């Protein structure tokens, strides 16, 4: 476990998922326009092991494609539209590569939580490929990124490939063996479902020097409550609204 660093308070979830299509470059631009300092997005691999931004295992909810993304090549996935489902004004958005995403983050000055979202069976490859790429391409002008995942195997592979990158374990409720798990993976942070935050356990986590982030918080009053309990940061689909509700202590 590393020492606590300073984290942003409100992180744009999947970009700014309520006002632009999730996990797209338009979404990152929107998040920056709303004033956030950090965003979160989901990364997985194509059949040809290119890292792309996509939340679901399959393409249909957020693109014009169909089926598992892990079975298609990057070129095939690039032929689909990733914005039209959200609104006609976003027609033409493509599924971004991680490389172009990092370039845009640098241009916008946005920090990021990079969530490893492996397809079934691709935990190791996803952790390895994404960590290598982030380690190689992350601009020195940005705050160091945080790699997160629900999949311990992906985090272990990321650690082996780029031990210098900070890691976070994603969970629903806090697992009984959290101490051992975060120690085994060398995580500095635990990311919890905001509906399952327990104050007593939270005090144990922060007391152990872990940063605690909560997802997904779209009500300012709830964010305020979580911060008063000791949560370090929240992921929000509407980071502007949540930050505005926090007043001067916002983003
Ligand atoms: O990283 C926090 C949050 O994004 C985890 O849940 O399903 O939105 O990726 P999900
Ligand atoms: Mg996510």
């Amino acid at each position: 476990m590393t020492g606590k660093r300073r984290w942003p308070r409100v992180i744009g979830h999947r970009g700014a998922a309520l006002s632009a299509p999730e996990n797209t470059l338009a979404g990152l631009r929107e998040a920056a326009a709303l004033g956030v300092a950090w965003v979160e997005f989901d990364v997985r691999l194509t059949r040809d092991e290119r890292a792309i931004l996509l939340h679901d295992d399959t393409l249909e909810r957020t693109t014009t494609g169909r089926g598992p993304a892990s079975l298609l090549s990057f070129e095939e996935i690039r032929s689909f539209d990733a914005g039209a489902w959200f609104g006609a004004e976003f027609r033409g958005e493509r599924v971004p590569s991680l490389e172009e995403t990092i370039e845009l983050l640098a241009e916008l000055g946005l920090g990021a939580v990079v969530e490893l979202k492996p397809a079934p069976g691709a935990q190791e490859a996803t952790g390895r490929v994404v960590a290598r790429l982030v380690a190689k391409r992350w601009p020195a002008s940005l705050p160091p990124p945080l790699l997160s995942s629900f999949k311990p195997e992906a985090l272990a592979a990321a650690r082996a490939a780029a031990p210098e990158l900070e890691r976070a374990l994603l969970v629903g409720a806090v697992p009984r063996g959290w101490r051992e798990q975060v120690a085994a993976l060398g995580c500095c942070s635990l990311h919890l479902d905001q509906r399952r935050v327990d104050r007593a356990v939270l005090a144990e986590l922060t007391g152990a020097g872990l940063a605690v982030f909560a997802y997904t918080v779209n009500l300012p009053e709830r964010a305020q409550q979580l911060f008063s309990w000791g949560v370090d940061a929240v992921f929000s689909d509407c980071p502007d609204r949540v930050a505005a509700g926090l007043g001067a202590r916002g983003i």
Side-chain angles (χ1 to χ4, degrees), residues 13-14 40 42 55 115 117 148 150 170 215 235:
H13 187 230
R14 308 183 194 173
E40 181 264 5
D42 306 290
H55 180 275
E115 184 184 340
K117 218 40 149 188
S148 75
F150 285 105
L170 259 165
Y215 65 91
F235 298 98

Side-chain angles (χ1 to χ4, degrees), residues 43-45 114-132 147-163 165-170 181 184-187:
V43 182
R44 61 179 55 250
L45 299 184
V114 179
E115 184 184 340
L116 308 167
K117 218 40 149 188
Q123 289 90 335
E124 194 278 331
T126 307
R128 173 174 38 85
V129 170
V130 174
R132 270 195 198 145
L147 299 186
S148 75
S149 189
F150 285 105
K151 304 292 181 190
E153 303 91 328
L155 290 172
R159 184 187 200 181
L165 297 177
E166 290 193 282
R167 291 166 301 281
L169 181 63
L170 259 165
Q181 269 189 289
L185 295 165
C187 290

